[in-house]
Every structure is written in structure tokens, then in C-alpha cells.
Coordinates of all heavy atoms in Angstrom, one line a residue:
N1 N 25.0 29.9 17.0 CA 25.0 30.5 18.3 C 23.5 31.0 18.6 O 23.0 32.0 17.8 CB 25.9 31.7 18.3 CG 26.1 32.3 19.7 OD1 25.2 33.0 20.1 ND2 27.2 32.1 20.3
D2 N 23.0 30.5 19.6 CA 21.5 30.8 19.8 C 21.3 32.3 20.1 O 20.3 32.9 19.7 CB 21.0 30.0 21.0 CG 20.5 28.6 20.6 OD1 20.4 28.4 19.4 OD2 20.2 27.8 21.5
I3 N 22.3 32.9 20.9 CA 22.1 34.3 21.2 C 22.1 35.3 20.0 O 21.4 36.2 19.9 CB 23.1 34.8 22.3 CG1 22.6 36.1 22.9 CG2 24.4 34.8 21.8 CD1 23.4 36.5 24.2
V4 N 22.9 34.9 19.0 CA 23.0 35.7 17.8 C 21.7 35.5 17.0 O 21.1 36.4 16.5 CB 24.2 35.2 17.0 CG1 24.1 35.9 15.5 CG2 25.5 35.7 17.6
L5 N 21.2 34.3 16.9 CA 19.9 34.0 16.2 C 18.8 34.6 16.9 O 17.8 35.2 16.3 CB 19.8 32.5 16.0 CG 20.9 31.9 15.3 CD1 20.5 30.3 15.1 CD2 21.2 32.5 13.9
A6 N 18.8 34.6 18.3 CA 17.8 35.2 19.1 C 17.7 36.7 18.9 O 16.6 37.3 18.8 CB 17.9 34.9 20.5
A7 N 18.9 37.3 18.7 CA 19.0 38.7 18.5 C 18.4 39.1 17.2 O 17.7 40.1 17.0 CB 20.4 39.2 18.5
A8 N 18.5 38.2 16.2 CA 17.9 38.4 14.8 C 16.4 38.3 14.9 O 15.7 39.1 14.3 CB 18.4 37.4 13.8
F9 N 15.9 37.5 15.8 CA 14.5 37.4 16.0 C 13.9 38.6 16.6 O 12.9 39.2 16.1 CB 14.2 36.1 16.9 CG 12.7 36.0 17.3 CD1 11.7 35.7 16.4 CD2 12.4 36.3 18.7 CE1 10.4 35.7 16.8 CE2 11.1 36.2 19.1 CZ 10.1 35.9 18.2
V10 N 14.6 39.1 17.7 CA 14.2 40.3 18.4 C 14.2 41.5 17.5 O 13.4 42.4 17.6 CB 15.0 40.5 19.6 CG1 14.8 41.9 20.3 CG2 14.8 39.3 20.7
A11 N 15.2 41.6 16.6 CA 15.4 42.8 15.8 C 14.6 42.7 14.5 O 14.8 43.7 13.7 CB 16.9 42.9 15.5
G12 N 13.9 41.7 14.2 CA 13.0 41.7 13.1 C 13.7 41.3 11.8 O 13.3 41.7 10.7
V13 N 14.7 40.5 11.9 CA 15.5 40.0 10.6 C 14.5 39.0 9.9 O 13.8 38.2 10.5 CB 16.7 39.3 11.0 CG1 17.3 38.5 9.8 CG2 17.7 40.2 11.6
T14 N 14.4 39.2 8.6 CA 13.5 38.5 7.8 C 14.0 37.0 7.6 O 13.2 36.0 7.7 CB 13.4 39.1 6.4 OG1 13.1 40.5 6.5 CG2 12.3 38.4 5.5
K15 N 15.3 36.8 7.2 CA 15.8 35.5 6.9 C 17.3 35.5 7.2 O 18.0 36.5 7.0 CB 15.6 35.1 5.4 CG 16.0 33.7 5.0 CD 15.7 33.4 3.6 CE 14.3 33.2 3.2 NZ 14.0 32.7 1.9
V16 N 17.8 34.3 7.5 CA 19.2 34.2 7.9 C 19.9 33.1 7.0 O 19.3 32.0 6.9 CB 19.4 33.8 9.4 CG1 20.9 33.5 9.7 CG2 18.9 35.0 10.2
F17 N 21.0 33.4 6.4 CA 21.9 32.4 5.7 C 23.1 32.1 6.5 O 23.8 33.2 6.9 CB 22.1 32.9 4.3 CG 21.0 33.0 3.4 CD1 20.2 34.1 3.4 CD2 20.7 32.0 2.6 CE1 19.1 34.2 2.5 CE2 19.6 32.0 1.7 CZ 18.8 33.1 1.6
T18 N 23.4 30.9 6.9 CA 24.6 30.7 7.7 C 25.8 30.5 6.8 O 26.4 29.5 6.6 CB 24.3 29.4 8.5 OG1 24.1 28.3 7.6 CG2 23.2 29.6 9.4
V19 N 26.2 31.8 6.2 CA 27.4 31.7 5.3 C 28.1 33.0 5.8 O 27.6 34.0 6.3 CB 27.0 31.8 3.8 CG1 26.3 30.5 3.4 CG2 26.1 33.0 3.5
G20 N 29.4 33.0 5.5 CA 30.2 34.2 5.9 C 31.3 34.4 4.8 O 31.3 33.8 3.6
G21 N 32.2 35.3 5.1 CA 33.3 35.7 4.3 C 32.9 36.4 3.1 O 31.8 36.9 2.8
A22 N 33.9 36.4 2.1 CA 33.7 37.2 0.8 C 32.5 36.6 0.1 O 31.8 37.3 -0.7 CB 34.9 37.2 -0.1
Q23 N 32.3 35.2 0.1 CA 31.2 34.6 -0.5 C 29.9 35.1 -0.1 O 28.9 35.2 -1.0 CB 31.3 33.0 -0.4 CG 31.1 32.5 0.9 CD 32.4 32.4 1.7 OE1 33.4 33.1 1.3 NE2 32.5 31.5 2.7
A24 N 29.7 35.4 1.2 CA 28.4 35.9 1.6 C 28.2 37.3 1.1 O 27.0 37.6 0.7 CB 28.4 35.9 3.2
V25 N 29.2 38.1 1.1 CA 29.1 39.5 0.6 C 28.7 39.4 -0.9 O 27.9 40.2 -1.4 CB 30.4 40.3 0.9 CG1 30.3 41.6 0.2 CG2 30.7 40.5 2.3
A26 N 29.4 38.6 -1.7 CA 29.1 38.4 -3.0 C 27.7 38.0 -3.3 O 26.9 38.5 -4.2 CB 30.1 37.5 -3.7
A27 N 27.2 37.0 -2.5 CA 25.8 36.6 -2.7 C 24.8 37.7 -2.4 O 23.8 37.8 -3.2 CB 25.6 35.4 -1.7
L28 N 25.1 38.5 -1.4 CA 24.1 39.5 -1.2 C 24.1 40.6 -2.2 O 23.1 41.2 -2.6 CB 24.5 40.2 0.2 CG 24.3 39.4 1.5 CD1 24.9 40.1 2.7 CD2 22.7 39.2 1.7
A29 N 25.4 40.9 -2.7 CA 25.5 41.9 -3.8 C 25.0 41.6 -5.1 O 24.3 42.3 -5.8 CB 27.0 42.2 -3.9
Y30 N 25.2 40.3 -5.6 CA 24.8 39.9 -6.9 C 23.5 39.1 -6.9 O 22.8 39.0 -8.0 CB 26.0 39.1 -7.6 CG 27.2 39.8 -7.6 CD1 28.4 39.4 -7.0 CD2 27.3 41.1 -8.3 CE1 29.6 40.0 -7.1 CE2 28.5 41.7 -8.4 CZ 29.6 41.2 -7.8 OH 30.8 41.9 -7.9
G31 N 23.2 38.5 -5.8 CA 22.0 37.6 -5.7 C 22.4 36.2 -6.2 O 23.3 36.1 -7.1
T32 N 21.8 35.2 -5.7 CA 21.9 33.8 -6.3 C 20.5 33.3 -6.5 O 19.5 34.0 -6.3 CB 22.7 32.9 -5.3 OG1 21.9 32.7 -4.1 CG2 24.0 33.6 -4.8
E33 N 20.4 32.0 -6.7 CA 19.0 31.4 -6.9 C 18.3 31.6 -5.7 O 17.0 31.6 -5.6 CB 19.2 29.9 -7.3 CG 19.9 29.7 -8.7 CD 21.4 29.5 -8.5 OE1 22.0 30.1 -7.5 OE2 21.9 28.7 -9.2
S34 N 18.9 31.6 -4.5 CA 18.3 31.5 -3.2 C 18.4 32.8 -2.4 O 17.6 33.1 -1.6 CB 18.7 30.3 -2.4 OG 18.4 29.1 -3.1
V35 N 19.6 33.4 -2.5 CA 19.9 34.6 -1.8 C 19.4 35.8 -2.6 O 20.0 36.0 -3.7 CB 21.4 34.7 -1.4 CG1 21.6 36.0 -0.6 CG2 21.9 33.6 -0.7
P36 N 18.5 36.6 -2.1 CA 18.0 37.8 -2.9 C 19.1 38.9 -2.9 O 19.8 39.1 -1.9 CB 16.8 38.2 -2.2 CG 17.0 37.8 -0.7 CD 17.7 36.5 -0.8

């Protein structure tokens, strides 16, 4: 969705991963090879 990504640009988001659900929360919490 362009408007969501544009909002991330305006709000100064550093990087976006197009993942969701419990797997996204786990990746953020524990970190992966690519997700800090």
C-alpha cells in the first residue's frame, strides 16, 4: 500500500520489512540474520 509506505517515509522510518503476524513480532523481539 503506497500510502502506508509513504507515511513511513514522512515519519522517518529507517527500514520496512513486509512481514506480519506473530512471525514479525518474534523477528523484532529475537532478531534474525536480517531483522535487527
Side-chain angles (χ1 to χ4, degrees):
N1 187 287
D2 274 352
I3 192 170
V4 169
L5 302 183
F9 172 70
V10 170
V13 169
T14 308
K15 184 181 288 188
V16 174
F17 291 85
T18 57
V19 297
Q23 63 271 21
V25 174
L28 291 172
Y30 302 119
T32 70
E33 299 92 328
S34 302
V35 181

